[in-house]
Amino acid sequence: MIHRFQIHPDTVIKTFLPLFSLEPNEKILDTYLALAQMEDEIKTYVLKEEVSRSNIRRLSAFTPDDRMAILSLISPLKLGENRLRETLTFLEEISRRNQCSARDIVGRPEIQAILSQKELTSSQKAERVKKVLKDLRYPRMHQMEEKFEGRRRGLNLPSNVSLHHPPFFEGRGLKIEFQFETMKEYRAILSSLSQLVEKKEFEEML
């Protein structure tokens, strides 16, 4: 209507958008105009997965080459709306901060290795890809996580005892959780916990 028949956008918004059960809003028109310019494969994905307008706008912010690379990532993962939004946001933020393309990020060996693992389900792949993207987005937190995990392994805690840091490492407190069924297991846990004060790794955690 706009490009071929030269109908004014205001007329399309007020008259025709309601006929398609769409709100008469300029932002909605711009969303579908952006979608109209995208690649056919992207349009097919949007229709098939019923992608929200907000995620359509996120896709429109990428270059054609980036969109096609992103499609190769998100198609096999079968992402829901929230996870798709999270993935696109990660890709956009990593790309901007590292001054690289989304295609470069998707092509990283660790991501491609996940996608090629046929024994993993779509949800398992999605979870692992999320972790890679999160580590790339927050490299400092990733380093802190690795350091914490290394120290935790050094404590040699029983399998029924878990040690947790504060969310996002905001604060210095630690949380210990344990599970037991017998008095013998309970005494063994208490014995292992009492030995933590002698370990350098535990002191470093605090």
Side-chain angles (χ1 to χ4, degrees):
M1 291 178 179
I2 292 175
H3 298 305
R4 181 173 300 181
F5 299 107
Q6 308 301 311
I7 298 176
H8 195 278
D10 287 345
T11 302
V12 174
I13 292 171
K14 295 176 182 178
T15 304
F16 292 98
L17 287 187
L19 297 178
F20 291 104
S21 300
L22 297 171
E23 304 95 298
N25 184 289
E26 183 179 2
K27 189 175 183 180
I28 293 176
L29 175 61
D30 290 342
T31 298
Y32 285 103
L33 287 176
L35 177 61
Q37 302 302 314
M38 293 187 202
E39 302 70 36
D40 288 344
E41 295 88 345
I42 298 292
K43 295 175 186 176
T44 299
Y45 177 83
V46 166
L47 290 172
K48 180 181 177 182
E49 302 298 331
E50 299 182 349
V51 176
S52 67
R53 292 195 289 263
S54 61
N55 279 332
I56 292 174
R57 289 191 289 272
R58 288 185 177 89
L59 282 168
S60 70
F62 294 95
T63 67
D65 286 345
D66 281 347
R67 277 197 296 269
M68 294 306 295
I70 291 171
L71 184 63
S72 72
L73 172 68
I74 60 180
S75 290
L77 299 183
K78 302 187 183 302
L79 303 175
E81 273 298 307
N82 291 336
R83 184 59 65 84
L84 177 59
R85 180 183 68 249
E86 186 178 53
T87 300
L88 295 176
T89 301
F90 274 145
L91 289 170
E92 191 275 330
E93 291 177 348
I94 297 167
S95 176
R96 184 174 64 245
R97 192 199 61 207
N98 294 356
Q99 296 185 338
C100 64
S101 67
R103 181 175 56 178
D104 292 336
I105 301 169
V106 173
R108 291 178 68 97
E110 58 267 44
I111 290 181
Q112 291 302 310
I114 294 170
L115 297 178
S116 65
Q117 292 180 327
K118 297 181 180 180
E119 69 276 10
L120 297 178
T121 65
S122 297
S123 59
Q124 289 173 327
K125 290 181 180 179
E127 194 61 36
R128 296 190 184 191
V129 167
K130 175 187 174 180
K131 185 180 185 310
V132 172
L133 293 177
K134 185 178 179 181
D135 291 344
L136 291 171
R137 176 62 182 87
Y138 303 106
R140 186 168 179 270
M141 183 175 295
H142 174 55
Q143 292 174 356
M144 295 173 70
E145 289 276 6
E146 286 193 326
K147 186 178 293 185
F148 181 88
E149 183 60 25
R151 289 169 175 167
R152 190 175 67 83
R153 286 195 300 267
L155 298 177
N156 294 318
L157 293 171
S159 60
N160 53 355
V161 177
S162 57
L163 181 65
H164 308 279
H165 60 72
F168 307 107
F169 291 95
E170 295 178 353
R172 295 173 58 84
L174 298 175
K175 181 171 71 173
I176 294 177
E177 296 179 323
F178 56 85
Q179 183 176 344
F180 62 93
E181 295 182 359
T182 66
M183 288 298 295
K184 181 179 180 181
E185 289 179 347
Y186 178 65
R187 291 191 184 97
I189 291 171
L190 293 182
S191 175
S192 66
L193 293 179
S194 67
Q195 297 172 22
L196 291 179
V197 294
E198 308 295 334
K199 298 188 176 185
K200 181 182 178 181
E201 294 89 348
F202 188 65
E203 183 178 354
E204 290 173 343
M205 285 179 167
L206 296 171

